[in-house]
Amino acid sequence: MAEDRGSRRLRIGILDNDVCALMMIDMLIRHRKPDMEVIWKETKPQRLMEHITYDALQPDVVILDLVLNGISGVDVCRELRRRSSTIRLIGVTAYPLEQYRARLVDAGAQALVSKDSVGSAMFVDVLRGSNQHGFRDEVADIVQDGSQEFMTPRDAYEHVRGEVDVRGISQREIGILSMYARGMTTKEIAKSLHISVGTVQSHTSHAARKLGVRQRFEAIRICQQQHLI
């Protein structure tokens, strides 16, 4: 029988490489909101993924800092979303929100919050997901699902899972597709790279297959959309 969320406290996980910020968010939640509980707080993305992968007790909400000692919180968000269709993902940052909004939408988050607004009444509403239509509040500096293209967890999960995985494509294959995109012919590419025409065609076919398409122009389009070329 599924657990009734309305009969228990909202479970929250926190990821922030700044220990002071981590403790502050934890304190605001633990001491001010009796209907919420922090089940874990981590400074390292790999520990977060271990919780999501192995823990029986899962959070309802994960709060993610977007700058993590050289690791992008947006990338962590996307990887987490690939694994869950139910957890609400909330990005927090001390930087201007517009710097991250579009990428965070694409990565499957449900809200973006300025660190200055953490602890506000509106931030609590974001955690609870109580505003079903979403909002943008210029004073609280919060953007959440329902406005600015943020999706629900289920819709975001389908979006992220449907993305093309471009990690398997090689730099040589990307380079050849980039040359095609610039208008070069197969013979010109072969001459430029000191390889045969057949090798150019082989690289192109391999790239298209890895991207799940058949035509060269489709492979080029995907690479352009993913900002690879």
Side-chain angles (χ1 to χ4, degrees):
M1 182 175 179
E3 184 178 17
D4 181 5
R5 184 178 297 180
S7 66
R8 62 166 172 79
R9 291 189 291 177
L10 190 76
R11 295 192 292 249
I12 298 172
I14 309 171
L15 175 68
D16 197 315
N17 68 318
D18 184 331
V19 176
C20 292
L22 190 67
M23 298 304 294
M24 180 197 72
I25 298 172
D26 179 37
M27 180 188 69
L28 288 169
I29 294 170
R30 287 182 186 276
H31 296 291
R32 297 188 183 183
K33 302 301 169 188
D35 62 334
M36 299 182 183
E37 63 175 326
V38 175
I39 60 173
W40 45 259
K41 54 185 185 293
E42 298 292 347
T43 59
K44 299 182 182 299
Q46 57 264 39
R47 287 288 298 134
L48 176 151
M49 289 304 174
E50 288 173 6
H51 285 300
I52 298 302
T53 302
Y54 300 113
D55 289 2
L57 190 68
Q58 292 289 300
D60 302 304
V61 181
V62 172
I63 301 169
L64 297 161
D65 185 19
L66 298 182
V67 180
L68 299 164
N69 287 338
I71 300 174
S72 169
V74 175
D75 291 340
V76 175
C77 177
R78 176 174 279 102
E79 187 58 34
L80 205 165
R81 177 54 68 215
R82 290 184 193 277
R83 300 167 185 237
S84 173
S85 63
T86 59
I87 299 173
R88 287 175 55 78
L89 306 180
I90 313 300
V92 296
T93 182
Y95 295 94
L97 300 192
E98 288 306 309
Q99 182 174 331
Y100 291 100
R101 185 191 63 78
R103 286 186 289 152
L104 202 60
V105 169
D106 192 57
Q110 278 57 69
L112 174 58
V113 180
S114 167
K115 281 194 173 181
D116 290 339
S117 298
V118 171
S120 69
M122 199 164 287
F123 177 64
V124 173
D125 283 342
V126 171
L127 293 180
R128 290 181 177 138
S130 58
N131 188 325
Q132 296 302 313
H133 301 292
F135 53 78
R136 178 167 187 157
D137 186 276
E138 301 297 345
V139 176
D141 215 6
I142 293 172
V143 189
Q144 118 159 342
D145 54 311
S147 69
Q148 302 295 307
E149 298 90 38
F150 278 92
M151 294 173 276
T152 65
R154 168 56 66 177
D155 288 345
Y157 174 78
E158 297 296 338
H159 167 74
V160 171
R161 296 276 288 189
E163 290 179 337
V164 175
D165 186 354
V166 298
R167 289 174 294 182
I169 191 168
S170 70
Q171 288 302 309
R172 172 54 65 92
E173 290 162 350
I174 292 172
I176 289 173
L177 291 176
S178 178
M179 290 177 173
Y180 276 122
R182 296 198 302 268
M184 294 178 67
T185 66
T186 302
K187 288 183 178 180
E188 288 171 339
I189 294 171
K191 183 177 180 180
S192 175
L193 297 177
H194 306 290
I195 57 178
S196 70
V197 167
T199 300
V200 172
Q201 294 171 334
S202 178
H203 281 306
T204 304
S205 296
H206 289 162
R209 186 167 61 252
K210 290 175 183 178
L211 296 172
V213 296
R214 295 184 177 182
Q215 301 298 321
R216 184 175 69 206
F217 78 89
E218 294 177 300
I220 292 171
R221 175 180 53 79
I222 290 172
C223 287
Q224 289 172 333
Q225 290 174 343
Q226 297 295 321
H227 306 292
L228 296 177
I229 62 176

